[in-house]
Amino acid sequence: MAARDRLHGTLDLLVLKTLSAGPRHGYAIAKWLEEGTRDKLRVEDGSLYPALYRMEKQEWIRSEWRTSELGRQAKFYLITPAGRRHLKAETEDWLAFATTVTRLLELAV
Amino acid sequence: MSQEPEGPDPLDRSPLRRSVEQEVADEFDFHLAMRARELAGTGLDSAEARRQAEARFGDLAEAQRLCRELAGHRERRARRIVFFSELAQDFRFALRTLRRRRAFATLAVITTALGIGAATAIYGVVDRVLLRPLPFDEPGRLVAVWASEPERRADPVLSRGWDKVPLGSDEYLALQKATRLRGIALFGTSANMLSNGSTRERVTTLVATSSLLPTLRVHPVLGRGFLPGEDVHDGPKIALLSWETWRSRFAGDSTVIGRSIRLDDYPYTVVGVLPPGLRLDRTATQAAVWVPALQGDYDLPERHNRQYSGVARLAPGATLADAEREASTLIGEATASPAGKSSARVADWQFDQTRDIRGSLLLLLGAVGVLLLIACINVATLMLGETAKREPELAARAALGAGMARLSRQLLTESLVIAGLGALLGCALAWAGTRALIAYAPPQIVRLGGIGLDFRVLAFATGCAVLTGIAFGLVPALTRLKPADYAALRMGTGLSGRRSRGPERLLIAGEVALSLVLLVGCTLLARSLGRLTAVDPGFVPDQMMVVQITSEKAPYDDSTRAARFYASAMEQIAALPGVVTVSASTSAPFTGGSSSSPTRPEGHPADPTVPPVYTQQREPMPGYFATMKIPLLAGRDFTPADRDGAPLVVILSEAAARRDWPTVSAVGHQIFWQGQWRTIVGIVGDIKFARLSREDEPILYAPYAQAPWGDLAIVVRTRGETGALASAIRERLDKLDPAATVLAVIPMVSLVERSYGEERYRTLLVTLFGGMASLLAAVGIFGVISRAQARRTREIGIRLALGSPAFAVIGLMLRETALGIGVGLVVGIPAALLVVRQLGPYLFQITPTDPTSFGLALLVLLGAFLAAALPPAWRANRVDPARVLRSE
């Protein structure tokens, strides 16, 4: 359960991070994740969307239909002020956690 | 479309909104297309690219299900936002259209306001008196306990209140053993002079057993209540102050405990202060002081005096029937005598307190309900007419794509806006109306004092508004917008030609039927009141003043001082200009007093196995019958020679003489009264003394000099105007004796009027409602005929051009409403017959089916019809055929 939460949380964090740079549609987010993680963090395309809908329900992001770069209607996601606050807090948490774990792991036992 | 500046058309539905399902599908499809396109870029053929894109997506169906579920909340919120924004649009739009149609809106709002205002005002009183629970802990468990003597029903003097017989010490002691009742308590009221330092004031005193406060679960805010052992014969003279008295007379001083006050010149020690607003009966005046009961000689068990009301709590699990059975047994044992025994009546306390006034108030509530219904129907009729006028506008909206449901909702919103405005104005009317209700109300309602518009009453008004709004909004919405009509609206052909007038007729019929019910009701009540006020009271109340005096008990323990006071008072009054004769009596008619006791004619030995026969008793001064103009039928009047020590004499009223000596004259015979045989020296005519509607009760008159018990009321026969005399009398008597207080100097006519105040009040209100109802019905009929006249102008023009006579055109117009009115009468007359049967107990010498009342009601309705219908019908006749034909 905790592991799944962590996974959700990580995905959420990454999505918020990409949206903090500007609106993107679902496919663009998926591409960013692929490229950014160099496929180390393989997420099934299908599991990205429930995460997006969940975050929208939590009002971290919102969506609107716009015309995509190829002239087709696509649903774009935008980060909300609440989303930005969440991103900031979670990033700090994550870094603190990672630092601690890293320090412990590097410690000679 | 200049009147639509802000926002989109309120009746518009956005075609751009997509469903959640569609949205998820579109989004996924976009993703797959993009992925496939990317894969196609690596050299795959398009079908293979699509297949791989789908594989990469994973479980498509599951993802869709999850997303739809997650988006559901957004869908609901969106729907809510649309609903409210449409509502706001409807509301703004309704206000705007109503502003454009000012005459219609004003009429509709005023009609609604009248209905809601009247209903709210009456409901305010009903709520306060009947519905609101008593302000005590677990009020539903508090019960009134009375003795009940069913055999008294046969006795004309005692029949009143046979099941509301007060309790005394015997019953109190007996009821202590009850297991179904907890904490039986007795209380009664008396009027006393409260002196505190130099101020003296007449106050109501509550006499209560020590159990009363614990039974009510009320605690004194200061000091203590009465203790068991204090409410006994010759117990300590202690008193509790009401919060209000403590604040106003003692400045809220907490050192008042232990201080001495005087009630009728007897000293009492204050032991406590009661909580604010404490009153036992909403319809009675609040007591200023409480003193312990059962302390007087009167209360000794062997005296068998009964003067207290009983209250108790039902024991846990006990029912009213249980408690009544047990109390009956206990009281029966305690009161058993060879002549019979009493039983008990146990009833819900609040219900019992409002027993006398309940029917009357519910009657008014019913009448006002009918009025509200008529107002609703009237507004519905108005709305129907308006909808007809608005067909072009509705057609335009339909053509622009507004759905049927949306148009109905728009109409409904308009009616709710009207109802809301009506309720607002109605509340203002109710606020003013309540004031008037109280100003003219009989004392029981007046004492309610603080009737106002509180939360419960406002909630009632709001409920009325919503229900009426829906009621009269739905009628046009439903009748106007049938799918076929809707199609016609869209096609722009309009409805005028093929519209059914059924609903309009139905509404007129309903209005007429309901108005008839109200009118018959108020005619019956008015005629009954007429009969009542025409009753001859047996004396001449005109040109007569009554002086009510109370004396403090302590100085007047000596009865000669009282006699001296009355003699000099009468002497002083007799000397005033304009006074013809002066006399006095205990319990003068219509002063509210009455007392009776057992009497026995000669030849009837005392028989303890037979219940005693009671006779009303009055103790007049000489010259009383002449002053009152009560005719002396046989024998002689009292003279100053019938004094203390002279042979004991009495005069009987005709009813008393006939009862005891049915075949011979009673004059010269003996009657046993108050422990002594007395000779009957005269017979006088019967009089009414409490209510004009009552049967004549047998009365025994004994000279005050030979029976000097109780306060006298002085009666003054005057010449001409009585107004100035009142202050002159008061002035003379105030100086006479500080221990006697003039309570009131009132024309006898006012006292008689006051006796039927409740009947008059009820009749006045129902007549007011009846008048409003016929006015509303008239407005409805006027509207229908006016519209018909407007609609059929062309037809009328042609008829006139073809030589149709004027009366035929007028007849044509009247026929527009004739069917509705006919149906209304056919339904209304039997309905009225059914409803007015409920009026039976409130009618005096009139049967509910009185044909004259029905005839009068029909006449009033006919008058209203003609007044409403003739002007527009006449106008139809004035149509200029040439102009009408040219305008086509």
Side-chain angles (χ1 to χ4, degrees):
Chain A
M1 196 60 210
R4 249 195 79 179
D5 279 353
R6 168 72 28 79
L7 198 65
H8 273 166
T10 313
L11 185 58
D12 290 356
L13 206 57
L14 293 175
V15 170
L16 288 175
K17 181 72 190 165
T18 123
L19 292 182
S20 69
R24 282 177 215 274
H25 48 68
Y27 179 70
I29 298 172
K31 284 305 283 181
W32 184 84
L33 286 174
E34 279 166 36
E35 284 157 16
T37 60
R38 288 178 218 96
D39 273 358
K40 290 241 165 48
L41 190 81
R42 258 321 257 280
V43 185
E44 261 186 354
D45 288 4
S47 61
L48 172 66
Y49 286 94
L52 284 170
Y53 276 74
R54 195 180 316 107
M55 287 160 71
E56 191 174 7
K57 187 174 174 183
Q58 278 165 314
E59 300 190 343
W60 291 335
I61 60 177
R62 62 187 176 84
S63 63
E64 52 189 52
W65 286 83
R66 295 184 180 181
T67 309
S68 75
E69 53 274 31
L70 296 173
R72 197 176 155 175
Q73 281 281 312
K75 193 174 167 195
F76 280 75
Y77 291 91
L78 295 82
I79 190 163
T80 64
R84 276 187 203 285
R85 281 195 298 279
H86 184 71
L87 173 63
K88 186 161 177 282
E90 286 294 296
T91 307
E92 281 163 11
D93 261 18
W94 175 264
L95 290 178
F97 172 72
T99 315
T100 312
V101 174
T102 312
R103 203 176 61 228
L104 281 174
L105 289 177
E106 286 172 350
L107 211 68
V109 187
Chain B
M1 283 267 146
S2 61
Q3 70 271 33
E4 314 239 309
E6 70 260 39
D9 183 338
L11 300 179
D12 168 47
R13 320 175 69 189
S14 168
L16 298 175
R17 276 180 39 232
R18 37 183 125 198
S19 71
V20 164
E21 237 158 275
Q22 190 60 48
E23 186 169 337
V24 172
D26 286 352
E27 183 171 21
F28 285 13
D29 192 52
F30 174 79
H31 183 101
L32 292 173
M34 290 298 283
R35 183 67 82 187
R37 194 171 157 277
E38 177 201 337
L39 291 170
T42 64
L44 290 175
D45 70 68
S46 64
E48 180 59 17
R50 181 78 187 189
R51 203 192 55 73
Q52 281 201 14
E54 277 173 20
R56 203 154 162 189
F57 199 86
D59 190 343
L60 188 73
E62 173 65 9
Q64 268 182 348
R65 194 190 60 77
L66 273 173
C67 289
R68 274 182 212 157
E69 205 178 289
L70 284 164
H73 80 99
R74 204 181 45 193
E75 171 86 334
R76 281 190 298 278
R77 194 178 59 185
R79 231 179 282 143
R80 216 162 38 234
I81 289 173
V82 168
F83 175 80
F84 279 110
S85 76
E86 283 184 357
L87 196 69
Q89 284 170 2
D90 281 350
F91 184 74
R92 278 197 304 271
F93 186 71
L95 278 181
R96 217 156 48 219
T97 58
L98 288 179
R99 215 176 312 148
R100 275 209 306 278
R101 298 170 295 144
R102 208 161 284 155
F104 157 73
T106 312
L107 202 56
V109 167
I110 288 178
T111 306
T112 320
L114 283 180
I116 292 182
T120 305
I122 296 290
Y123 174 79
V125 178
V126 170
D127 180 65
R128 191 60 68 103
V129 181
L130 302 184
L131 304 180
R132 201 163 305 199
L134 297 171
F136 299 109
D137 188 33
E138 283 193 82
R141 305 295 288 174
L142 287 170
V143 292
V145 184
W146 298 99
S148 164
E149 299 181 339
E151 66 274 12
R152 268 175 50 171
R153 260 185 290 189
D155 187 320
V157 176
L158 297 178
S159 61
R160 239 169 307 110
W162 62 270
D163 65 346
K164 207 173 176 178
V165 181
L167 307 180
S169 299
D170 294 327
E171 291 83 5
Y172 184 54
L173 290 176
L175 287 170
Q176 301 292 336
K177 295 198 264 315
T179 58
R180 304 277 154 209
L181 291 173
R182 292 279 158 83
I184 176 77
L186 300 187
F187 66 93
T189 54
S190 70
N192 302 89
M193 198 60 65
L194 168 68
S195 341
N196 168 40
S198 59
T199 64
R200 297 156 59 78
E201 188 190 5
R202 201 178 146 77
V203 297
T204 300
T205 309
L206 191 92
V207 186
T209 57
S210 59
S211 48
L212 184 57
L213 283 179
T215 296
L216 299 178
R217 300 187 186 155
V218 168
H219 304 283
V221 291
L222 214 62
R224 61 170 180 90
F226 303 140
L227 303 174
E230 290 179 332
D231 52 352
V232 294
H233 186 246
D234 276 340
K237 298 287 180 208
I238 53 178
L240 294 167
L241 298 178
S242 78
W243 171 271
E244 289 74 14
T245 304
W246 178 56
R247 296 300 294 251
S248 61
R249 308 277 171 272
F250 298 87
D253 179 0
S254 54
T255 65
V256 75
I257 306 294
R259 201 186 288 176
S260 179
I261 58 169
R262 295 183 89 79
L263 276 175
D264 280 359
D265 262 9
Y266 295 109
Y268 281 80
T269 307
V270 176
V271 296
V273 175
L274 294 162
L278 179 65
R279 55 165 73 209
L280 300 194
D281 184 342
R282 286 192 185 128
T283 57
T285 32
Q286 195 192 23
V289 184
W290 288 29
V291 298
L294 307 177
Q295 291 189 336
D297 294 344
Y298 258 73
D299 297 309
L300 288 170
E302 59 268 26
R303 296 281 185 104
H304 305 300
N305 254 311
R306 296 161 143 191
Q307 53 174 336
Y308 298 108
S309 310
V311 61
R313 261 180 203 281
L314 284 179
T319 65
L320 281 173
D322 287 345
E324 184 164 286
R325 221 170 302 123
E326 188 192 38
S328 280
T329 311
L330 292 172
I331 288 185
E333 284 166 8
T335 58
S337 77
K341 60 182 187 183
S342 309
S343 53
R345 187 170 64 84
V346 175
D348 177 84
W349 202 29
Q350 180 174 18
F351 195 89
D352 191 69
Q353 286 179 2
T354 54
R355 195 163 73 143
D356 298 336
I357 203 173
R358 176 173 297 259
S360 192
L361 281 179
L362 292 181
L363 179 80
L364 285 179
L365 194 63
V368 89
V370 173
L371 181 68
L372 183 59
L373 217 56
I374 294 175
C376 275
I377 294 183
N378 207 24
V379 178
T381 323
L382 285 172
M383 298 269 302
L384 264 187
E386 275 303 297
T387 322
K389 272 193 221 159
R390 288 173 63 191
E391 267 160 18
E393 176 203 325
L394 292 176
R397 288 190 185 284
L400 287 174
M404 196 170 83
R406 194 79 182 75
L407 283 181
S408 297
R409 209 174 98 183
Q410 174 59 37
L411 291 176
L412 198 57
T413 312
E414 271 179 38
S415 61
L416 282 175
V417 168
I418 289 176
L421 291 174
L424 224 60
L425 188 61
C427 280
L429 278 180
W431 184 75
T434 310
R435 255 133 237 278
L437 269 182
I438 292 172
Y440 295 102
Q444 278 181 314
I445 293 179
V446 172
R447 292 197 195 108
L448 293 171
I451 293 177
L453 294 177
D454 55 15
F455 169 72
R456 286 169 64 113
V457 176
L458 287 178
F460 173 85
T462 313
C464 275
V466 171
L467 286 182
T468 54
I470 290 175
F472 60 60
L474 275 184
V475 171
L478 289 181
T479 57
R480 300 303 308 170
L481 296 172
K482 294 191 200 74
D485 290 348
Y486 181 63
L489 282 175
R490 282 217 156 176
M491 283 157 64
T493 52
L495 297 169
S496 316
R498 38 187 287 293
R499 185 167 66 105
S500 146
R501 289 203 300 284
E504 203 163 68
R505 288 192 174 130
L506 210 63
L507 291 175
I508 289 285
E511 215 165 16
V512 167
L514 290 170
S515 307
L516 185 67
V517 171
L518 259 187
L519 280 173
V520 169
C522 74
T523 320
L524 281 171
L525 287 175
R527 277 171 55 75
S528 155
L529 182 65
R531 295 269 167 99
L532 188 62
T533 54
V535 167
D536 175 11
F539 62 94
V540 181
D542 308 283
Q543 301 201 332
M544 180 166 211
M545 301 291 287
V546 181
V547 186
Q548 286 176 278
I549 297 168
T550 185
S551 52
E552 289 180 38
K553 278 156 199 126
Y556 282 100
D557 285 347
D558 168 17
S559 64
T560 56
R561 179 167 167 195
R564 256 204 321 277
F565 166 76
Y566 285 117
S568 55
M570 283 164 61
E571 216 169 278
Q572 295 261 344
I573 294 171
L576 288 169
V579 171
V580 182
T581 51
V582 182
S583 186
S585 170
T586 54
S587 304
F590 298 100
T591 54
S594 119
S595 72
S596 59
S597 57
T599 57
R600 184 155 50 87
E602 62 183 23
H604 290 72
D607 180 355
T609 64
V610 175
V613 171
Y614 275 72
T615 307
Q616 290 283 346
Q617 61 207 15
R618 303 288 182 268
E619 294 85 13
M621 296 286 237
Y624 178 69
F625 300 114
T627 304
M628 296 288 288
K629 297 198 177 166
I630 299 172
L632 183 68
L633 301 176
R636 67 167 177 88
D637 194 355
F638 295 132
T639 66
D642 297 318
R643 59 177 168 266
D644 195 16
L648 297 176
V649 293
V650 295
I651 290 177
L652 293 188
S653 74
E654 202 185 354
R658 208 173 334 113
R659 182 191 64 191
D660 291 342
W661 285 272
T663 51
V664 296
S665 169
V667 176
H669 291 275
Q670 301 266 310
I671 191 165
F672 190 77
W673 176 70
Q674 294 288 338
Q676 279 163 305
W677 287 100
R678 294 158 198 256
T679 307
I680 299 157
V681 295
I683 297 171
V684 294
D686 288 317
I687 58 160
K688 309 286 179 192
F689 57 84
R691 299 180 72 83
L692 291 171
S693 54
R694 282 210 192 123
E695 291 293 310
D696 293 326
E697 290 182 28
I699 306 177
L700 176 149
Y701 296 94
Y704 184 74
Q706 295 181 351
W709 307 310
D711 286 342
L712 290 171
I714 298 175
V715 290
V716 185
R717 173 71 54 193
T718 64
R719 200 181 297 119
E721 191 58 38
T722 50
L725 205 54
S727 50
I729 292 174
R730 213 176 249 286
E731 206 174 290
R732 292 289 173 97
L733 297 193
D734 278 346
K735 284 182 233 151
L736 215 54
D737 189 334
T741 310
V742 176
L743 291 181
V745 184
I746 312 176
M748 178 62 97
V749 182
S750 313
L751 288 179
V752 177
E753 273 175 12
R754 206 180 285 173
S755 77
Y756 52 81
E758 208 203 316
E759 282 91 340
R760 197 167 53 171
Y761 187 61
R762 181 159 74 208
T763 308
L764 187 79
L765 283 179
V766 176
T767 308
L768 185 70
F769 299 155
M772 281 159 75
S774 25
L775 187 72
L776 290 180
V779 169
I781 292 168
F782 175 82
V784 169
I785 295 189
S786 298
R787 282 197 297 279
Q789 185 251 323
R791 193 174 63 237
R792 297 172 70 175
T793 306
R794 185 159 59 111
E795 178 197 339
I796 293 162
I798 294 171
R799 279 173 190 270
L800 287 172
L802 292 178
S804 182
F807 68 85
V809 169
I810 294 178
L812 193 69
M813 287 294 97
L814 296 188
R815 269 208 298 284
E816 282 282 335
T817 52
L819 186 64
I821 291 172
V823 172
L825 292 182
V826 168
V827 177
I829 292 175
L833 278 171
L834 212 66
V835 170
V836 294
R837 205 169 299 165
Q838 309 301 317
L839 286 179
Y842 305 101
L843 297 180
F844 176 71
Q845 290 182 359
I846 294 260
T847 56
T849 52
D850 176 47
T852 316
S853 300
F854 273 76
L856 282 173
L858 285 171
L859 265 181
V860 171
L861 215 52
L862 179 70
F865 166 68
L866 288 179
L870 279 181
W874 184 252
R875 206 158 59 229
N877 192 37
R878 305 294 294 273
V879 167
D880 177 358
R883 245 179 67 197
V884 170
L885 294 178
R886 255 202 313 279
S887 75
E888 279 299 307

